[in-house]
Amino acid sequence: MSRFSQIRRVETTGSTNDDVAKILGEDASRGLTFVADYQTHGAGRKGRSWIAPPGSALLFTTALPDPIPSAQLWIVPFWIGLAVHEALAQFGVTTQLQWPNDVLFGSSKVAGILCVSRVAGDDAWAACGVGINVKRPENSDDIAGIEPPPAFISDVRGVDRDELLQAILRQADASYGDLASPPKIASAWESAAGIPGARYRLRLDGAQASFEATALALGKAGELVVDVAGSQRVIAMADARVMRGA
């Protein structure tokens, strides 16, 4: 029996993350995956919106069945990112992970991750919100406001959303024990992200200009260690945004 066999589905909700966050830490949330066909208030990092027309995306939040040390919360989005990356590969879709929480198809974003948690002292309950662009909408106006333009799995092949969800949950179940070893997850994530050597364009919060950097490694708490014009810098997840497009 999978740790993630409990699935609850709705047609429309505000946010699957919000739905799970309300019960996070309760017995009812342990291993629960909450799936919606459409989110009216889907969210990304730093208050940005996640826009996905009805029927176009796989939108779900999965709660971990057990608490983890609060000091290791940082590894959770990298862990679920790997599960998404490896599940897509099972369908013949090759992706690259991008710091801190994106999945790219080519140079375009095909999936994003936003985790939520409830901390109680040294322990924390965590849930992983995932949005994957599966089927490109027939009406291009539905995604016209998204910049830079997103990628969709259907650009290369048709994938059933339920089958993809099951593949991700199976991968999450298989790799669940790795959460006890953040360095193992970090190493696997670096490989799937093409690090060292991946090029990034970053903008620090409060800054007007972006800068180019070469990623060297993940830091001990999920920071991105980069080389900028021959100097090494450490970029915290909370302090920067990755820029794509022109």
Side-chain angles (χ1 to χ4, degrees), residues 53-228:
S56 69
L58 173 58
L59 306 167
F60 69 95
T61 298
T62 295
L64 301 188
D66 308 294
I68 65 172
S70 53
Q72 295 180 7
L73 270 174
W74 67 272
I75 201 63
V76 175
F78 297 101
W79 166 76
I80 196 65
L82 280 167
V84 171
H85 168 75
E86 292 168 9
L88 285 170
Q90 296 172 23
F91 292 88
V93 180
T94 301
T95 58
Q96 181 169 324
L97 299 180
Q98 179 179 261
W99 184 87
N101 63 343
D102 291 338
V103 183
L104 304 184
F105 180 68
S107 59
S108 299
K109 181 174 178 176
V110 74
I113 294 161
L114 184 66
C115 295
V116 294
S117 62
R118 176 172 294 173
V119 177
D122 292 334
D123 291 327
W125 294 91
C128 309
V130 178
I132 305 174
N133 297 326
V134 176
K135 183 179 180 181
R136 184 174 291 277
E138 295 181 4
N139 186 351
S140 60
D141 291 342
D142 290 341
I143 57 172
I146 304 177
E147 289 293 340
F152 288 81
I153 296 173
S154 63
D155 293 343
V156 290
R157 61 177 34 84
V159 173
D160 181 81
R161 288 185 294 173
D162 285 343
E163 291 180 4
L164 177 57
L165 174 63
Q166 291 298 332
I168 295 169
L169 295 180
R170 285 195 299 269
Q171 189 61 43
D173 187 54
S175 63
Y176 184 68
D178 293 344
L179 283 168
S181 179
K184 180 178 180 179
I185 295 174
S187 178
W189 188 93
E190 286 173 343
S191 178
I195 295 175
R199 294 289 297 171
Y200 280 79
R201 185 158 61 93
L202 302 165
R203 188 175 70 195
L204 298 179
D205 288 351
Q208 295 297 316
S210 60
F211 61 92
E212 301 289 331
T214 300
L216 301 176
L218 276 184
K220 292 183 178 180
E223 312 95 330
L224 188 66
V225 182
V226 300
D227 178 274
V228 182

